[in-house]
Amino acid sequence: MACRISELVLDCRDPEVLARFWCEVLDFVVLDREGDEMVEIGPREGFGGPQPTIILSRRDEPEKGKTRLHIDVNATDRDQDAELERLLRLGARPADIGQTGDEGWHVLADPEGNEFCLLRARLAPL
């Protein structure tokens, strides 16, 4: 038996704002909430399925240094260009981390500046 990732924890200034953003990006729902300190989002089926949940945990000051974890997303029902347009409308913005422009992915930042990548479709459409 091996372990599997059950949740990802993302420290942030405003869990509610990021919960709304990531729920729209991933078609997730709010699964749990602890006051204004934590929001857990995940697939509509709830906790324990094949996809991990994301815990958005309030932290007023970001950690110093580069984040060691970021999220990669794949569009499931549209091509990469259409998904990029959708993510930008939701509040993502391009992030420059020194990419050349020849990459098969787009580096973006969520509304609090957490970097994530939109990959070329690697998953079959739903």
Side-chain angles (χ1 to χ4, degrees):
M1 185 71 157
C3 291
R4 71 175 181 84
I5 296 172
S6 58
E7 60 257 341
L8 301 170
V9 179
L10 182 59
D11 292 337
C12 59
R13 288 181 295 280
D14 192 336
E16 290 295 333
V17 168
L18 284 192
R20 283 192 299 275
F21 175 80
W22 285 108
C23 280
E24 285 292 327
V25 170
L26 301 171
D27 191 31
F28 275 14
V29 296
V30 172
L31 300 173
D32 192 18
R33 192 179 256 112
E34 290 181 12
D36 64 351
E37 294 300 311
M38 184 278 291
V39 178
E40 183 173 13
I41 64 172
R44 295 177 184 280
E45 328 49 272
F47 182 81
Q51 294 186 69
T53 64
I54 299 175
I55 295 174
L56 302 157
S57 180
R58 181 175 302 284
R59 181 181 209 107
D60 292 328
E61 293 299 320
E63 299 273 336
K64 297 219 187 281
K66 184 179 182 330
T67 303
R68 292 179 164 229
L69 176 72
H70 72 266
I71 297 171
D72 288 345
V73 297
N74 278 271
T76 58
D77 62 352
R78 59 185 59 95
D79 68 21
Q80 186 186 40
D81 291 337
E83 183 64 359
L84 177 61
E85 287 180 31
R86 185 181 83 89
L87 296 175
L88 293 172
R89 280 193 313 271
L90 290 173
R93 58 189 184 280
D96 182 358
I97 59 166
Q99 58 271 43
T100 65
D102 294 326
E103 295 82 7
W105 61 87
H106 296 278
V107 182
L108 302 168
D110 71 15
E112 287 202 3
N114 301 299
E115 293 166 1
F116 69 101
C117 294
L118 170 62
L119 305 179
R120 278 197 190 124
R122 292 179 32 193
L123 303 175
L126 296 175

